[in-house]
Amino acid sequence: MAAPKALLLLLLLLLPVSNAAQPPRTLQVPVFHRDAVFPPPPGAKRGGHLRQSLAADAARTYSLVDTTVHGLLHSPVRYTGIPFENGEYFALVGVGTPFARALLVIDTGSDLVWLQCRPCRRCYNQQGRLYDPRGSSTYRRIRCSSPQCRLLRYPGCDGSNGGCRYRIAYGDGSSSTGDLATDRLLFSNDTYIDNVTLGCGRDNEGLFYTADGLLGVGRGEMSISTQVAPAYGRVFAYCLSNDRTSRSARSSYLVFGRTPELPSTMFTALLSNPRRPSLYYVDMTGFSVDGERVTGYSNASLALDPATGLGGVVVDSGTAISRFARDAYEALRDAFDARAAAAGMRKLPREYSVFDACYDLRGTPAASAPPIVLHFAGGAEMALPPENYLLPVDVGKRLTYYCLGLEAADDGLSVLGKVQQQGFRVVFDVERERIGFAPNGC
């Protein structure tokens, strides 16, 4: 199915074909919410995408945990399914020479850049045309003996031509298999990067509907953030706008390279886990509700143990809803409940989906919800706006309830998801080993 004509016109304007005389100091990537690119049908229920993604969220978080730290056999599952049905953010890039436009989901929890390619043995239904590497003069297969092939966790070799094969299997059953190659990527500020290692997917299935592939921006060697580091440094930032229908290139964005810091940016240390080196860990120290620090849970609940690889908090653009260790989540939920009751929010007696704290706000504005602040080591904090944690859920009969949009984690890993990150400029500064958060950053 072809993309809407208005969108194609927009993409033509955002990806020029000429190369700048002087490469810019930063690499700009336009980013769009999937609702802006592929609007939901008229009459679609609020929160519908959210409900469809929660099971995939759970599968993703399970596979972000390295099963070897639990003494289990490590199955051939590297990453988990990305919840594409919940408000995904697409990065727009050009691939090949001449370039073809590709909409790739931004994922800080994985490394490989890949897209569906012709000829395709089995491909899911994407909105645009499949990329055909036979039409690119800069496309090159990578040999099995190459260093790039050896970086793969599960490399394969094509016996007929000696080409390297990759396979990524996700925890929800989604997968991508194909040829490891290099090609040119074109970005919106007239700049291209040659010889980018990427996957050309020939056999793909699962929850990748509408996207052309995935843009891995993890900390590993295959990541696009690592591959462009010689020119732009090991630092990038993004802002995922709350305005999901905006097609403005000035709304959501992804930028590689060091940019001027917003005065409101607060930094905390970037931690490393030797068992999961591709993930971005932060030292989260707790929560506040309505100005009071939440108590009643173990201080170790959110801490990373580098010796075992257990625990910790990961900043992840591929997970929708934030998940915190159960005792920490329950303490936060109970503190919110108490303050919500004082503010006149009527709690519902039943759960909705995975949410166990839902409210009937008829007669009570959502803006009056008790404010939640996330605290990090070094004094950094994220004061969440209500729309980042009080999520609408349609329950029929023209009724919309609001639920505390957080979950309990029982697998040892806490995750700061993209719904809570929306509207913040998030800076991943690997060079200085820190992560920054700035409100109103889009």
Side-chain angles (χ1 to χ4, degrees):
M1 182 187 300
K5 289 183 179 179
L7 172 65
L8 291 176
L9 207 52
L10 175 67
L11 302 191
L12 284 169
L13 294 172
L14 289 174
L15 279 183
V17 297
S18 60
N19 189 39
Q22 293 294 330
R25 291 185 177 182
T26 59
L27 201 58
Q28 306 283 339
V29 186
V31 173
F32 305 93
H33 191 279
R34 77 185 298 273
D35 287 353
V37 181
F38 308 111
K45 290 184 176 182
R46 298 177 69 189
H49 287 163
L50 179 64
R51 288 193 299 273
Q52 295 171 25
S53 76
L54 295 175
D57 255 11
R60 175 180 179 83
T61 307
Y62 175 77
S63 286
L64 286 175
V65 180
D66 188 344
T67 54
T68 58
V69 303
H70 297 285
L72 304 176
L73 291 175
H74 195 295
S75 63
V77 176
R78 185 170 186 184
Y79 309 115
T80 66
I82 314 301
F84 284 85
E85 289 302 322
N86 170 56
E88 286 309 310
Y89 291 86
F90 296 156
L92 173 63
V93 299
V95 184
T97 307
F99 73 89
R101 294 165 185 82
L103 290 167
L104 306 178
V105 171
I106 303 166
D107 186 20
T108 61
S110 65
D111 295 329
L112 185 64
V113 180
W114 65 266
L115 66 161
Q116 297 201 112
C117 288
R118 287 184 175 180
C120 191
R121 288 185 294 274
R122 179 173 53 178
C123 278
Y124 59 83
N125 182 28
Q126 71 179 50
Q127 293 287 343
R129 293 182 178 180
L130 294 179
Y131 177 60
D132 192 342
R134 294 169 297 186
S136 173
S137 63
T138 48
Y139 178 87
R140 300 288 185 273
R141 283 288 304 276
I142 289 177
R143 306 288 296 176
C144 297
S145 57
S146 70
Q148 297 103 308
C149 194
R150 291 194 291 271
L151 287 173
L152 294 172
R153 181 172 291 189
Y154 307 109
C157 191
D158 190 332
S160 62
N161 56 27
C164 181
R165 303 273 294 169
Y166 78 92
R167 172 173 170 75
I168 297 180
Y170 298 82
D172 61 358
S174 303
S175 64
S176 177
T177 302
D179 304 324
L180 196 67
T182 63
D183 209 338
R184 171 179 290 180
L185 291 190
L186 177 70
F187 298 88
S188 64
N189 48 4
D190 293 357
T191 302
Y192 55 75
I193 305 293
D194 283 322
N195 301 316
V196 173
T197 300
L198 50 80
C200 199
R202 310 287 188 176
D203 189 336
N204 318 289
E205 59 180 329
L207 298 179
F208 304 109
Y209 177 71
T210 70
D212 299 330
L214 186 143
L215 188 73
V217 289
R219 299 174 71 176
E221 295 302 315
M222 287 285 192
S223 167
I224 186 63
S225 55
T226 301
Q227 292 193 63
V228 303
Y232 298 99
R234 298 205 65 179
V235 56
F236 69 94
Y238 61 61
C239 189
L240 309 177
S241 174
N242 281 312
D243 184 359
R244 298 186 172 193
T245 60
S246 173
R247 294 184 180 178
S248 169
R250 297 181 181 179
S251 184
S252 298
Y253 59 82
L254 169 66
V255 57
F256 297 96
R258 194 167 299 282
T259 55
E261 295 174 6
L262 296 178
S264 58
T265 307
M266 304 183 77
F267 284 96
T268 189
L270 172 62
L271 306 181
S272 297
N273 183 353
R275 306 300 285 268
R276 300 298 288 158
S278 291
L279 302 181
Y280 298 95
Y281 284 83
V282 290
D283 186 359
M284 188 170 175
T285 58
F287 322 89
S288 291
V289 175
D290 205 14
E292 291 192 12
R293 198 69 176 244
V294 175
T295 59
Y297 64 94
S298 169
N299 291 333
S301 297
L302 303 175
L304 169 65
D305 183 347
T308 63
L310 293 172
V313 180
V314 169
V315 181
D316 183 33
S317 67
T319 299
I321 302 299
S322 295
R323 301 158 59 89
F324 301 115
R326 179 165 293 278
D327 64 335
Y329 165 75
E330 290 178 348
L332 172 60
R333 178 203 60 200
D334 293 347
F336 184 84
D337 270 345
R339 293 291 181 172
M345 295 170 56
R346 186 170 67 88
K347 188 176 182 181
L348 302 173
R350 55 161 293 188
E351 300 177 358
Y352 287 89
S353 187
V354 300
F355 302 129
D356 59 3
C358 297
Y359 306 87
D360 184 348
L361 296 189
R362 285 177 292 181
T364 305
S368 66
I372 294 178
V373 178
L374 310 182
H375 298 281
F376 303 89
E381 60 184 37
M382 293 177 71
L384 302 180
E387 60 267 25
N388 284 30
Y389 61 87
L390 206 57
L391 307 183
V393 177
D394 265 314
V395 294
K397 297 181 180 180
R398 299 183 179 180
L399 278 179
T400 298
Y401 294 146
Y402 287 81
C403 297
L404 180 63
L406 304 169
E407 296 182 66
D410 293 313
D411 46 25
L413 180 68
S414 297
V415 181
L416 180 59
K418 64 173 171 281
V419 170
Q420 282 66 53
Q421 296 177 47
Q422 285 179 339
F424 286 84
R425 178 183 177 90
V426 185
V427 182
F428 297 81
D429 191 347
V430 178
E431 288 178 0
R432 299 179 182 175
E433 298 183 336
R434 60 182 188 168
I435 288 183
F437 306 100
N440 304 311
C442 295

